[in-house]
Each structure stands twice: as C-alpha cells, then as structure tokens.
C-alpha cells in the first residue's frame, strides 16, 4: 500500500458537531483538540511521516471574542501537554503562521516546543496557527524584496524553489494528500502554494468524530488515484 508521505488536514466542523449535540461550540473545540492528539499517533503508525493541521486561520480572529479567547486558552493548554507527548513519541513539532500576531506566552511555548523537539526523528507534526496562505506568501515576497533592495538578489534570478524555501514550510515537502472534514468544498486560505498538486479528499465526518478508520479511508482513496504532475502520470 502506498501511504502518503505528507498529509495536511483542514480540521473543520467542531462547532456544527457540538451544536448537533446541543452543546456550546467550545465543547466541539475541546473534543477536536483530543482528536488531534490521537491522530498524531495513528498517522505515524500508518507510516505517514508528515502531518500538518490547520488550527487557527488569519480569518478566525473575526469570530466572536469569547470564541477566540476560548481557542487561545485551548492552544495554551495544548502546547503545554504537547511537549510531554512529543518527547514520549519522538515527535518533531513545528508551528507555521505569523507568530508575531500571537500573545507573548504562546510564542514562548512555541519556541520551547520547537527547540525541545528539533532532534526528534519520528512524526513531523506541524500546526498552523494564525496561518493564512496569502499572508505566508506575502511575507515570503517581502523577504525576497528586501534582498533585491539590498542588492544581494536580482529579480530575474528569483525561482519558484526560492519562493518555496522562504515560506514557513521551507523545510517540509509539499502535502501529498489534503483532507477537509465536515463537507465544505473549499481551501479556506490553507497552504495555497504547497497544495498545487495535492490530492484532495473531503469527508462529511466532523473533526471531533474523525478517527483511524476515517484516515484509512482517505489514504485508500489517495492510493486509488493516479497522481499527476503536469500531464505525466506518476
Ligand atoms: C474548526 O471548526 C476549528 C476552527 C476553525 C478553529 P469550526 O469552528 O470552523 O466549526 P464549524 O465549521 O463552525 O462547524
Ligand atoms: C478553516 O476552517 C480554518 C481552520 C480549520 C483553522 P473555517 O471554518 O475557519 O473556514 P471557513 O470559514 O469554512 O472557510
Ligand atoms: Mg468551520
């Protein structure tokens, strides 16, 4: 069986899942965070080497203040526990997104987590926080423009590889499979550059209910497709 090397997930549907149970949206987010923890071990055991999840988008700040605060609180707790689980599972954790937009204590937890796990050789787990694909590309373009401004780079020498390297995902391969839970057929500003040739799998299952069987289904669907880069079947 050919397992995708890099799986990226738009973890959607926490709110709808909670609402269907007559519970507040935040209950869905709490359950969703538990699903993330399980998924790291499940993905690694299936042979997946890179797992990247969309936890908070640049657009999510426009949600009601109470919900944003609850999500940030959840993130804080998550970061604390993550260091222990990462050590136990040999998991390397990275965070992508504009960290400068996050509170100082969260930035510190992220820096500690990245530093503590950088030598681990198990799952490469990447969390997108305050992440937007357009924002990421904008920051990469600014960094290239600075090099042009100071004379170390000529505009005609800019290549797509250089742009890839300046993205937050500079040291990660592109995703092979993009999964979106809870049915919406859109990308919502996730990894815009990197998913150029990713296979896309959308399930109606809401994120808190996503499990090993659902991940297997997504990987089976991926395996059944003929991947195409340009017009050459691989
Ligand atoms: C995904 O679930 C989690 C975040 C975006 C933080 P939602 O909160 O978007 O849940 P729905 O889509 O409203 O059901
Ligand atoms: C995408 O889900 C963002 C995350 C999963 C963090 P949203 O629920 O925010 O996206 P839209 O609103 O459906 O586009
Ligand atoms: Mg949503």
């Amino acid at each position: 069986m050919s397992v995708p090397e890099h799986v990226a997930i738009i973890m959607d549907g926490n709110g709808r899942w909670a609402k269907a149970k007559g519970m507040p949206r935040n209950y869905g987010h709490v359950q969703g965070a538990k699903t993330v923890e399980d998924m790291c071990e499940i993905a690694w055991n299936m042979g997946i080497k890179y797992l990247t999840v969309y936890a908070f988008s640049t657009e999510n700040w426009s949600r009601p203040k109470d919900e944003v605060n609850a999500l940030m609180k959840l993130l804080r707790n998550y970061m604390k526990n993550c260091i222990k689980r990462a050590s136990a599972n040999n998991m390397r954790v990275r965070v992508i997104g504009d960290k400068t937009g996050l509170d100082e204590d969260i930035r510190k937890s992220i820096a500690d987590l990245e530093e503590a796990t950088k030598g681990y050789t198990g799952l490469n787990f990447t969390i997108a926080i305050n992440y937007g694909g357009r924002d990421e590309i904008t920051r990469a373009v600014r960094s290239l423009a600075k090099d042009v401004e100071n004379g170390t780079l000529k505009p005609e020498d800019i290549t797509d590889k250089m742009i890839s390297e300046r993205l937050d995902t500079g040291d990660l391969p592109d995703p092979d499979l993009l999964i979106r839970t809870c049915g919406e057929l859109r990308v919502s500003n996730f990894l815009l550059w990197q998913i150029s040739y990713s296979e896309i799998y959308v399930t109606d299952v809401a994120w808190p209910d996503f499990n090993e069987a659902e991940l297997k289904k997504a990987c089976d669907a991926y395996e059944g497709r003929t991947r195409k880069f340009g017009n050459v079947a691989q």
Side-chain angles (χ1 to χ4, degrees), residues 44-84:
W44 179 248
N45 290 335
M46 280 176 63
I48 292 162
K49 302 274 187 287
Y50 295 83
L51 179 68
T52 301
V53 299
Y54 204 5
F56 193 89
S57 73
T58 47
E59 288 71 32
N60 287 150
W61 295 110
S62 61
R63 292 192 179 197
K65 205 166 185 312
D66 282 356
E67 184 171 354
V68 170
N69 288 342
L71 283 166
M72 288 299 144
K73 190 174 164 205
L74 201 56
L75 257 164
R76 282 187 169 88
N77 289 336
Y78 185 84
M79 292 295 163
K80 267 188 222 137
N81 293 329
C82 195
I83 242 175
K84 285 180 227 140

Side-chain angles (χ1 to χ4, degrees), residues 121-174:
T121 53
L123 181 73
N124 284 278
F125 178 50
T126 303
I127 316 169
I129 307 174
N130 191 23
Y131 177 89
R134 287 182 173 182
D135 175 69
E136 180 191 39
I137 293 168
T138 305
R139 287 185 285 108
V141 168
R142 274 195 202 124
S143 128
L144 289 166
K146 281 213 171 96
D147 286 355
V148 172
E149 188 181 36
N150 67 30
T152 55
L153 181 66
K154 290 200 201 108
E156 58 271 29
D157 290 339
I158 296 173
T159 60
D160 70 4
K161 184 166 177 280
M162 250 182 227
I163 297 174
S164 296
E165 285 167 358
R166 300 277 174 132
L167 297 175
D168 298 346
T169 51
D171 59 347
L172 303 174
D174 287 342

Side-chain angles (χ1 to χ4, degrees), residues 82 86 91-95 113-114 117 123-127:
C82 195
M91 180 169 87
R92 177 162 183 189
V93 187
R94 295 172 177 86
V95 171
L113 187 57
E114 289 184 330
T117 66
L123 181 73
N124 284 278
F125 178 50
T126 303
I127 316 169

Side-chain angles (χ1 to χ4, degrees), residues 147-218:
D147 286 355
V148 172
E149 188 181 36
N150 67 30
T152 55
L153 181 66
K154 290 200 201 108
E156 58 271 29
D157 290 339
I158 296 173
T159 60
D160 70 4
K161 184 166 177 280
M162 250 182 227
I163 297 174
S164 296
E165 285 167 358
R166 300 277 174 132
L167 297 175
D168 298 346
T169 51
D171 59 347
L172 303 174
D174 287 342
D176 302 292
L177 172 65
L178 172 70
I179 298 173
R180 180 163 186 148
T181 60
C182 218
E184 306 295 343
L185 299 177
R186 59 177 172 266
V187 175
S188 299
N189 206 8
F190 192 40
L191 301 175
L192 297 181
W193 175 277
Q194 299 88 336
I195 59 169
S196 297
Y197 278 98
S198 307
E199 294 292 330
I200 300 178
Y201 177 88
V202 177
T203 171
D204 284 334
V205 173
W207 179 249
D209 282 337
F210 197 80
N211 57 22
E212 184 171 4
E214 296 301 328
L215 183 62
K216 281 223 170 78
K217 269 192 225 166

